[in-house]
Amino acid sequence: MSGRLLVSGVGVVSALGASSQAFRDALLAGASGVAPVTAFDVSGCRTRIGAPVTGFEPTSWIAPMKLRRMDDTARYAVVVTRQAFEDAGVAFVPEGDDRAGIVLGTFTAGGQATSEYLTALHRGGPMGAPAVLFNSTVANAPASLAGLEFKLRGPNVTISQKEASGLAAIVTAVDALRLGRGRVIAAGGVDAIFDIFFRVHDRFGVMSPAEPSAVRGPFDRDRAGFVLGEGGYALLIEEAASVVARGGTHYGEILGVSAESSAVGINDWPMAPDALVRTMRAALDDAGLSPADVHVVYAAANGTRLDAVEAEALGALFGAA
């Protein structure tokens, strides 16, 4: 098993800007990334808002000819991976690095390209299907393209567990590093808002129909659904010995992780807090900590009725406020 694991670099493309600095400054200023959706026609939708990426110019990072073969999620993946490595001061190895890898979570990767490819196929037959899109029709394309771009020849894994995908990617990366399967791994998530994906969620009525300025936050009693966002992030998780050896710095240390499950129906969510409590306890045990050692919790709460289950789980573990 490897030693301590540090977060030595961060990459961000988001609704609050296309760098970790812009994202941080916007958060500290109390800015909101929620805005009207303008990338496609939502005039007939119940919900017309999202959190689209802003300030992102992919040609500043990726050659135009390569961009043609990438959908939005792949572009985000390549950029946040590069940002994370550069932020940490870890150089890419020109001949390839067998000890560097990437683990990305995604809910949407492959969806937009598949939709466009199948639409063209059904309208124009096999000759009308754009071959340039085919590589992007699979969910593991973003991680694969980032690995190829930077010659990361270590673990290359894609996790798809809906909204939990990005966090699950971090757990997977930590496990791989602890098992000695790499020295450094970029872990995080990428997603994009696209027409069909947005309309399906709108049809189910699970998104907030409010205007951007009226969206209620997590745990608010007047919450009315979530807001679909897009972008990507990557944490460069690295063995402490590697950081120390090059005289690098780090943002923090990953002490413990956990991934559990609950026996519920397909696409369902546990309506009791037991599984969530069990997961958090397992992470604390892994870190050798107690609930009293925790100073802040970042909840998954997404503005739906399931916030109540999460609030109950937090109360059960940490005590009611």
Side-chain angles (χ1 to χ4, degrees):
M1 304 292 284
S2 298
R4 297 167 57 215
L5 298 178
L6 307 180
V7 176
S8 57
V10 177
V12 177
V13 171
S14 75
L16 295 177
S19 71
S20 59
Q21 294 80 10
F23 181 75
R24 175 201 61 203
D25 292 345
L27 286 179
L28 293 175
S32 170
V34 179
V37 171
T38 58
F40 45 87
D41 183 18
V42 294
S43 59
C45 295
R46 170 181 176 269
T47 298
R48 302 182 184 183
I49 59 172
V53 161
T54 61
F56 179 57
E57 180 46 66
T59 55
S60 299
W61 300 88
I62 306 168
M65 290 302 292
K66 291 182 179 180
L67 281 175
R68 294 181 62 249
R69 296 183 176 276
M70 297 181 183
D71 67 358
D72 287 338
T73 53
R75 294 167 184 173
Y76 301 153
V78 169
V79 171
V80 298
T81 300
R82 178 175 163 184
Q83 287 179 349
F85 272 83
E86 291 183 351
D87 185 40
V90 177
F92 295 113
V93 179
E95 62 273 19
D97 192 339
D98 295 343
R99 301 285 292 162
I102 180 168
V103 181
L104 285 182
T106 184
F107 189 3
T108 62
Q112 183 174 7
T114 298
S115 174
E116 294 175 5
Y117 184 85
L118 290 178
T119 297
L121 177 66
H122 290 307
R123 286 179 178 172
M127 297 301 295
V132 72
L133 283 178
F134 187 74
N135 286 344
S136 296
T137 60
V138 289
N140 68 331
S144 297
L145 287 169
L148 290 169
E149 177 72 14
F150 305 119
K151 299 182 180 178
L152 310 178
R153 301 195 305 207
N156 192 293
V157 182
T158 297
I159 307 293
S160 187
Q161 294 182 349
K162 297 184 72 173
E163 298 95 331
S165 299
L167 289 176
I170 293 174
V171 174
T172 303
V174 168
D175 285 344
L177 289 168
R178 285 177 170 178
L179 291 171
R181 293 176 178 165
R183 171 184 56 85
V184 56
I185 292 179
V190 292
D191 276 306
I193 301 174
F194 59 95
D195 195 346
I196 288 181
F197 188 77
F198 187 91
R199 292 181 184 280
V200 167
H201 285 83
D202 185 73
R203 184 169 183 178
F204 281 108
V206 294
M207 298 187 296
S208 173
E211 293 299 315
S213 61
V215 173
R216 301 300 182 186
F219 301 118
D220 192 304
R221 69 176 58 192
D222 294 323
R223 63 191 184 279
F226 56 78
V227 177
L228 277 181
E230 65 178 352
Y233 78 94
L235 305 180
L236 200 69
I237 306 173
E238 189 175 359
E239 292 180 340
S242 177
V243 178
V244 173
R246 70 167 190 281
T249 60
H250 63 280
Y251 293 97
E253 181 176 355
I254 297 179
L255 299 177
V257 296
S258 175
E260 307 286 334
S261 61
S262 185
V264 296
I266 295 176
N267 289 327
D268 207 350
W269 183 263
M271 296 310 295
D274 307 60
L276 297 179
V277 173
R278 185 174 70 248
T279 305
M280 290 187 287
R281 285 195 187 281
L284 289 171
D285 289 344
D286 185 36
L289 301 174
S290 71
D293 296 316
V294 177
H295 294 172
V296 62
V297 175
Y298 292 92
N302 60 8
T304 70
R305 63 187 178 88
L306 302 175
D307 287 8
V309 181
E310 192 170 7
E312 190 177 348
L314 293 171
L317 184 61
F318 297 105

